[in-house]
Amino acid sequence: MSMDIDGGAVPIAQVQRPQTNATILCCNCGAPIDGTQAAGALCYDCIKLTVDISSGIQREGTLHMCRDCERWLSPPAQWVVAAPESRELLALCLRKLKGLTKVRIIDASFIWTEPHSRRIKLKITIQQEAFEGTILQQTFEVEFVQAYQQCPDCQKSYTHNTWRAVVQVRQKVPHKRTFLYLEQLILKHSAHKDTINIKEVHEGIDFFFGARNHAEKFVDFLTSLIPVRVKKSQELISQDVHTSVKSYKFSFSAEIVPICKDDLVALPIKLAKSIGNISPLVLCYRIGTAVNLMDPNTLQTADIPAPIFWRSPFRTPIADVQDLVEFIVMDIEPLGPAKNRWVLADCTVARSSDLGVNDTTYLCRTHLGNVLHPGDTVMGYMMTGTQFNNPEFDAIEESKQYSSTIPDVVLVKKSYPRRRKAAGHKQRNWKVKRMAREESEMLPRKQEQERLERDFEMFLRDVEEDEELRAGMALYKNPRQLEEMSMDEDGESVNSDDERRLRIPMEQLLDEFEEMGIDEEEE
């Protein structure tokens, strides 16, 4: 490079900066480090020893759990369900730690502890920038102490008059079979999870809720399963005159139709003609969203929805399962017509109590042609010589069109008395769950206990005999009886057709587990 001064060129030497050494010594340990990348004149090892990026993070904490419902308190006042060592519980623990939001979480996991120690330990890995261009990663442990605290919902369940809504389920029948089936449906769909108390009363069950919307949701669940009539009422508890805020208690009365499976029903003639011109004397073979009826003489079926049922004049069946009589099949001849799982047949039967006394037999038409054989035992209703105090049945007898169609015997279902006597109800390889409920103080428990046990045993027999009935239920394995059922008590194998028919396959049974709010029912 040159500059022109007074017409002459004078060369100027190029200025060069002196070269400096980039290596410096650590101010703490004296180790050589790169001065251009050094953070505070410290080596990486000294940074790890002197800088603690987890200094502002809480190392100990307390978790509150309700021992009744096993929910955890999530600040400020929310109770959440979290299983041990689950993602939900891990997220709850991380939210409880103060100062964790200032660093970056790389990894977090549980450290195994004894369940009875009531200690929860976490291993957390974090990252943070200690100096400009220097990022540190550190792993540390946090310990939580598990403390018990009762949640507000469980507090209300142990306190009287704290509910805000009640659903009173009632059915005016002399047995509890419908409630037992309804209980299994409630358990399978967990429809009782919002209840704060369940009380068993005469002719029904009361479900108490802490909020109105929970009760309305439960009522919608009932109406989607069974034909019920719901009535609503409310009671004013308190009122604030300054803000006009009122507090109410709501009561929902849910009345189930007083007709059950296997009941004999006498329909009004006008109603029978309007639902398909079916015979007025029919059997109820199922209770779903409507009352399902069948004529055993023709296999014709008809459904009565809940609105039509409550508008009709009839209310109760003329005979229920308590009026069933045991018959012996003397002869049976299938006629050929079949519908669903039924086959029409002519059957000759005799009462079990008449064997050895007289030779009286009865000829009837039945829908059980596919399951009955000569010598089998069958349960049915005795129509000959029986007086029914029912106006609809009297109208059928006086009618010229239907009086001749009244049979001597109406067969309902096949019975298995020899299998019951040999095995008994204790030989079932399955069991059901029961809801944890409170019994009313007015219930005469000693007098009603035998009747309740009889109803429950009758329900269990219906479950193992009817595949369609148990399709909507949850049955569990009974490990106590699995080994004993491999062989009869007398050492004889049980491989009869009746035994195979009543045996529930193992693939239809669920593994036993403990569930909140459910009691185990032992057979």
Side-chain angles (χ1 to χ4, degrees):
M1 181 179 180
S2 64
M3 296 181 62
D4 190 4
I5 300 176
D6 296 335
V10 178
I12 298 176
Q14 182 176 1
V15 179
Q16 295 182 356
R17 298 183 62 183
Q19 296 291 333
T20 59
N21 190 2
T23 302
I24 64 175
L25 300 179
C26 176
C27 65
N28 189 21
C29 64
I33 58 175
D34 187 359
T36 60
Q37 299 180 358
L42 292 174
C43 65
Y44 184 71
D45 293 334
C46 291
I47 292 176
K48 292 193 296 181
L49 294 176
T50 57
V51 179
D52 185 9
I53 62 176
S54 65
S55 58
I57 301 176
Q58 184 181 356
R59 298 299 183 94
E60 295 180 352
T62 303
L63 293 177
H64 296 277
M65 187 191 75
C66 179
R67 70 172 69 200
D68 295 323
C69 61
E70 297 184 356
R71 292 187 299 175
W72 301 85
L73 176 60
S74 178
Q78 183 181 3
W79 292 84
V80 297
V81 178
E85 299 189 3
S86 62
R87 297 178 59 183
E88 293 79 8
L89 184 58
L90 181 61
L92 176 61
C93 295
L94 295 179
R95 286 196 300 267
K96 293 278 290 185
L97 295 179
K98 296 180 180 179
L100 200 59
T101 56
K102 299 179 181 180
V103 298
R104 180 184 179 185
I105 302 176
I106 300 301
D107 187 24
S109 59
F110 287 96
I111 300 176
W112 186 87
T113 56
E114 292 287 348
H116 63 273
S117 65
R118 295 197 300 176
R119 296 292 188 272
I120 298 177
K121 292 185 178 182
L122 298 181
K123 182 180 179 181
I124 305 176
T125 303
I126 60 174
Q127 282 184 356
Q128 189 181 26
E129 187 177 12
F131 300 99
E132 184 179 357
T134 303
I135 298 177
L136 292 183
Q137 178 171 314
Q138 186 176 348
T139 301
F140 61 96
E141 295 182 2
V142 179
E143 180 177 342
F144 289 92
V145 178
Q146 179 181 342
Y148 290 124
Q149 179 180 341
Q150 197 173 44
C151 65
D153 295 337
C154 293
Q155 290 176 1
K156 292 181 179 180
S157 64
Y158 289 99
T159 308
H160 296 288
N161 303 323
T162 58
W163 53 272
R164 285 294 175 264
V166 59
V167 179
Q168 301 172 338
V169 185
R170 300 290 186 271
Q171 187 184 32
K172 299 179 181 179
V173 292
H175 54 81
K176 294 282 187 178
R177 292 168 58 214
T178 302
F179 286 104
L180 293 172
Y181 177 63
L182 180 62
E183 178 183 10
Q184 300 303 315
L185 296 179
I186 293 174
L187 290 176
K188 182 177 181 180
H189 297 87
S190 299
H192 66 303
K193 62 180 181 180
D194 296 326
T195 58
I196 60 177
N197 191 19
I198 302 175
K199 180 181 291 185
E200 185 174 0
V201 296
H202 182 60
E203 291 185 347
I205 304 177
D206 291 345
F207 297 88
F208 297 90
F209 299 88
R212 172 187 175 184
N213 58 340
H214 293 163
E216 292 177 343
K217 181 180 178 181
F218 185 77
V219 170
D220 294 338
F221 172 78
L222 293 179
T223 54
S224 64
L225 292 178
I226 53 178
V228 295
R229 179 172 58 178
V230 180
K231 295 182 180 179
K232 175 185 174 182
S233 62
Q234 60 185 24
E235 177 186 359
L236 179 63
I237 302 176
S238 62
Q239 178 180 1
D240 190 344
V241 295
H242 301 287
T243 60
S244 299
V245 176
K246 301 178 182 179
S247 178
Y248 289 94
K249 279 188 175 181
F250 300 90
S251 298
F252 298 87
S253 176
E255 183 181 358
I256 306 176
V257 293
I259 296 179
C260 302
K261 181 176 177 293
D262 298 334
D263 286 352
L264 184 62
V265 181
L267 298 175
I269 297 179
K270 183 178 180 181
L271 177 63
K273 292 182 179 180
S274 64
I275 59 175
N277 198 22
I278 194 174
S279 173
L281 193 63
V282 290
L283 276 176
C284 176
Y285 68 92
R286 184 178 56 192
I287 295 292
T289 55
V291 181
N292 305 127
L293 304 174
M294 177 197 60
D295 181 9
N297 292 323
T298 61
L299 301 184
Q300 183 182 356
T301 59
D303 299 336
I304 301 181
I308 296 179
F309 176 85
W310 295 115
R311 289 198 303 264
S312 61
F314 79 103
R315 285 292 178 268
T316 58
I318 63 175
D320 54 28
V321 291
Q322 297 182 350
D323 302 321
L324 289 174
V325 180
E326 186 176 281
F327 294 90
I328 303 297
V329 178
M330 310 302 293
D331 188 18
I332 185 168
E333 181 181 354
L335 299 180
K339 185 176 183 179
N340 297 333
R341 62 180 187 273
W342 308 307
V343 174
L344 197 64
D346 285 336
C347 186
T348 303
V349 296
R351 283 194 300 185
S352 300
S353 58
D354 292 343
L355 295 180
V357 179
N358 54 56
D359 298 332
T360 305
T361 59
Y362 304 94
L363 178 62
C364 61
R365 186 160 291 181
T366 179
H367 61 288
L368 304 175
N370 58 331
V371 296
L372 294 181
H373 304 88
D376 288 346
T377 303
V378 61
M379 306 299 294
Y381 295 110
M382 190 68 186
M383 306 296 294
T384 302
T386 304
Q387 296 293 331
F388 298 103
N389 187 16
N390 187 280
E392 283 77 23
F393 184 75
D394 296 339
I396 296 175
E397 287 184 323
E398 296 173 359
S399 173
K400 296 181 180 179
Q401 180 180 358
Y402 298 107
S403 59
S404 59
T405 61
I406 300 177
D408 296 334
V409 174
V410 178
L411 301 182
V412 178
K413 60 181 179 179
K414 185 177 179 179
S415 180
Y416 306 89
R418 287 175 292 185
R419 190 260 181 183
R420 305 294 182 193
K421 184 177 180 181
H425 67 281
K426 294 184 179 181
Q427 294 294 324
R428 295 187 177 97
N429 64 335
W430 57 274
K431 56 186 175 182
V432 296
K433 300 287 184 177
R434 304 296 303 275
M435 289 188 303
R437 57 198 180 279
E438 176 186 354
E439 293 186 354
S440 175
E441 297 179 356
M442 302 300 294
L443 182 65
R445 298 182 61 182
K446 294 183 179 179
Q447 300 178 4
E448 297 291 330
Q449 188 65 27
E450 183 178 352
R451 182 180 66 86
L452 295 177
E453 292 179 357
R454 183 176 64 252
D455 292 344
F456 186 69
E457 173 62 22
M458 188 179 302
F459 170 72
L460 295 180
R461 294 184 181 183
D462 292 340
V463 170
E464 60 187 359
E465 294 174 4
D466 193 345
E467 297 182 2
E468 185 179 358
L469 178 65
R470 65 173 179 262
M473 298 172 48
L475 304 180
Y476 299 91
K477 298 177 183 178
N478 189 0
R480 300 180 183 179
Q481 301 296 335
L482 290 178
E483 297 181 359
E484 299 180 5
M485 291 192 63
S486 59
M487 187 173 294
D488 197 16
E489 293 180 353
D490 297 332
E492 299 178 357
S493 60
V494 282
N495 295 321
S496 62
D497 294 339
D498 292 347
E499 179 67 20
R500 288 193 297 268
R501 175 182 174 84
L502 296 179
R503 182 72 59 86
I504 298 180
M506 294 298 297
E507 56 269 15
Q508 298 181 10
L509 303 179
L510 303 176
D511 292 330
E512 182 182 2
F513 63 96
E514 298 297 330
E515 189 172 347
M516 182 174 56
I518 301 179
D519 289 341
E520 179 180 336
E521 181 66 27
E522 297 290 346
E523 277 77 57

PDB file of all heavy atoms in Angstrom, residues 348-359:
ATOM      1  N   THR A 348     -96.785 -83.598  26.921  1.00  0.00           N
ATOM      2  CA  THR A 348     -97.630 -84.236  27.938  1.00  0.00           C
ATOM      3  C   THR A 348     -96.855 -84.266  29.246  1.00  0.00           C
ATOM      4  O   THR A 348     -95.750 -84.815  29.308  1.00  0.00           O
ATOM      5  CB  THR A 348     -98.014 -85.656  27.530  1.00  0.00           C
ATOM      6  OG1 THR A 348     -98.681 -85.620  26.260  1.00  0.00           O
ATOM      7  CG2 THR A 348     -98.922 -86.293  28.566  1.00  0.00           C
ATOM      8  N   VAL A 349     -97.429 -83.655  30.287  1.00  0.00           N
ATOM      9  CA  VAL A 349     -96.732 -83.533  31.568  1.00  0.00           C
ATOM     10  C   VAL A 349     -97.634 -84.014  32.684  1.00  0.00           C
ATOM     11  O   VAL A 349     -98.852 -84.150  32.524  1.00  0.00           O
ATOM     12  CB  VAL A 349     -96.303 -82.074  31.829  1.00  0.00           C
ATOM     13  CG1 VAL A 349     -95.298 -81.607  30.796  1.00  0.00           C
ATOM     14  CG2 VAL A 349     -97.515 -81.152  31.858  1.00  0.00           C
ATOM     15  N   ALA A 350     -97.007 -84.313  33.803  1.00  0.00           N
ATOM     16  CA  ALA A 350     -97.720 -84.690  35.020  1.00  0.00           C
ATOM     17  C   ALA A 350     -97.046 -83.996  36.192  1.00  0.00           C
ATOM     18  O   ALA A 350     -95.816 -83.824  36.207  1.00  0.00           O
ATOM     19  CB  ALA A 350     -97.706 -86.207  35.220  1.00  0.00           C
ATOM     20  N   ARG A 351     -97.833 -83.604  37.164  1.00  0.00           N
ATOM     21  CA  ARG A 351     -97.263 -82.945  38.330  1.00  0.00           C
ATOM     22  C   ARG A 351     -96.398 -83.915  39.131  1.00  0.00           C
ATOM     23  O   ARG A 351     -96.753 -85.089  39.303  1.00  0.00           O
ATOM     24  CB  ARG A 351     -98.346 -82.375  39.221  1.00  0.00           C
ATOM     25  CG  ARG A 351     -98.943 -81.090  38.706  1.00  0.00           C
ATOM     26  CD  ARG A 351     -99.756 -80.376  39.744  1.00  0.00           C
ATOM     27  NE  ARG A 351    -100.878 -81.185  40.215  1.00  0.00           N
ATOM     28  CZ  ARG A 351    -101.821 -80.752  41.068  1.00  0.00           C
ATOM     29  NH1 ARG A 351    -101.748 -79.526  41.521  1.00  0.00           N
ATOM     30  NH2 ARG A 351    -102.800 -81.525  41.438  1.00  0.00           N
ATOM     31  N   SER A 352     -95.268 -83.399  39.610  1.00  0.00           N
ATOM     32  CA  SER A 352     -94.370 -84.253  40.391  1.00  0.00           C
ATOM     33  C   SER A 352     -95.042 -84.744  41.660  1.00  0.00           C
ATOM     34  O   SER A 352     -94.798 -85.871  42.113  1.00  0.00           O
ATOM     35  CB  SER A 352     -93.086 -83.482  40.734  1.00  0.00           C
ATOM     36  OG  SER A 352     -92.412 -83.083  39.566  1.00  0.00           O
ATOM     37  N   SER A 353     -95.904 -83.918  42.220  1.00  0.00           N
ATOM     38  CA  SER A 353     -96.586 -84.319  43.456  1.00  0.00           C
ATOM     39  C   SER A 353     -97.652 -85.376  43.206  1.00  0.00           C
ATOM     40  O   SER A 353     -98.083 -86.050  44.152  1.00  0.00           O
ATOM     41  CB  SER A 353     -97.220 -83.090  44.117  1.00  0.00           C
ATOM     42  OG  SER A 353     -98.134 -82.457  43.226  1.00  0.00           O
ATOM     43  N   ASP A 354     -98.087 -85.565  41.923  1.00  0.00           N
ATOM     44  CA  ASP A 354     -99.116 -86.566  41.616  1.00  0.00           C
ATOM     45  C   ASP A 354     -98.537 -87.926  41.283  1.00  0.00           C
ATOM     46  O   ASP A 354     -99.299 -88.904  41.166  1.00  0.00           O
ATOM     47  CB  ASP A 354     -99.969 -86.083  40.431  1.00  0.00           C
ATOM     48  CG  ASP A 354    -100.825 -84.881  40.787  1.00  0.00           C
ATOM     49  OD1 ASP A 354    -101.009 -84.631  42.005  1.00  0.00           O
ATOM     50  OD2 ASP A 354    -101.290 -84.182  39.870  1.00  0.00           O
ATOM     51  N   LEU A 355     -97.216 -88.020  41.114  1.00  0.00           N
ATOM     52  CA  LEU A 355     -96.631 -89.317  40.776  1.00  0.00           C
ATOM     53  C   LEU A 355     -96.794 -90.280  41.941  1.00  0.00           C
ATOM     54  O   LEU A 355     -96.439 -89.977  43.090  1.00  0.00           O
ATOM     55  CB  LEU A 355     -95.147 -89.148  40.436  1.00  0.00           C
ATOM     56  CG  LEU A 355     -94.831 -88.315  39.183  1.00  0.00           C
ATOM     57  CD1 LEU A 355     -93.331 -88.229  38.968  1.00  0.00           C
ATOM     58  CD2 LEU A 355     -95.520 -88.904  37.962  1.00  0.00           C
ATOM     59  N   GLY A 356     -97.345 -91.451  41.650  1.00  0.00           N
ATOM     60  CA  GLY A 356     -97.608 -92.438  42.684  1.00  0.00           C
ATOM     61  C   GLY A 356     -98.921 -92.238  43.402  1.00  0.00           C
ATOM     62  O   GLY A 356     -99.306 -93.076  44.226  1.00  0.00           O
ATOM     63  N   VAL A 357     -99.597 -91.121  43.088  1.00  0.00           N
ATOM     64  CA  VAL A 357    -100.890 -90.849  43.723  1.00  0.00           C
ATOM     65  C   VAL A 357    -102.027 -91.036  42.736  1.00  0.00           C
ATOM     66  O   VAL A 357    -103.030 -91.688  43.025  1.00  0.00           O
ATOM     67  CB  VAL A 357    -100.913 -89.424  44.318  1.00  0.00           C
ATOM     68  CG1 VAL A 357    -102.281 -89.131  44.957  1.00  0.00           C
ATOM     69  CG2 VAL A 357     -99.798 -89.247  45.335  1.00  0.00           C
ATOM     70  N   ASN A 358    -101.887 -90.439  41.539  1.00  0.00           N
ATOM     71  CA  ASN A 358    -102.889 -90.608  40.494  1.00  0.00           C
ATOM     72  C   ASN A 358    -102.187 -90.598  39.145  1.00  0.00           C
ATOM     73  O   ASN A 358    -100.970 -90.381  39.058  1.00  0.00           O
ATOM     74  CB  ASN A 358    -103.961 -89.508  40.576  1.00  0.00           C
ATOM     75  CG  ASN A 358    -103.349 -88.116  40.559  1.00  0.00           C
ATOM     76  OD1 ASN A 358    -102.610 -87.764  39.654  1.00  0.00           O
ATOM     77  ND2 ASN A 358    -103.672 -87.313  41.587  1.00  0.00           N
ATOM     78  N   ASP A 359    -102.968 -90.833  38.100  1.00  0.00           N
ATOM     79  CA  ASP A 359    -102.417 -90.898  36.740  1.00  0.00           C
ATOM     80  C   ASP A 359    -102.831 -89.688  35.916  1.00  0.00           C
ATOM     81  O   ASP A 359    -102.913 -89.764  34.680  1.00  0.00           O
ATOM     82  CB  ASP A 359    -102.884 -92.181  36.040  1.00  0.00           C
ATOM     83  CG  ASP A 359    -102.388 -93.426  36.758  1.00  0.00           C
ATOM     84  OD1 ASP A 359    -101.330 -93.324  37.406  1.00  0.00           O
ATOM     85  OD2 ASP A 359    -103.054 -94.467  36.664  1.00  0.00           O
TER      86      ASP A 359
END
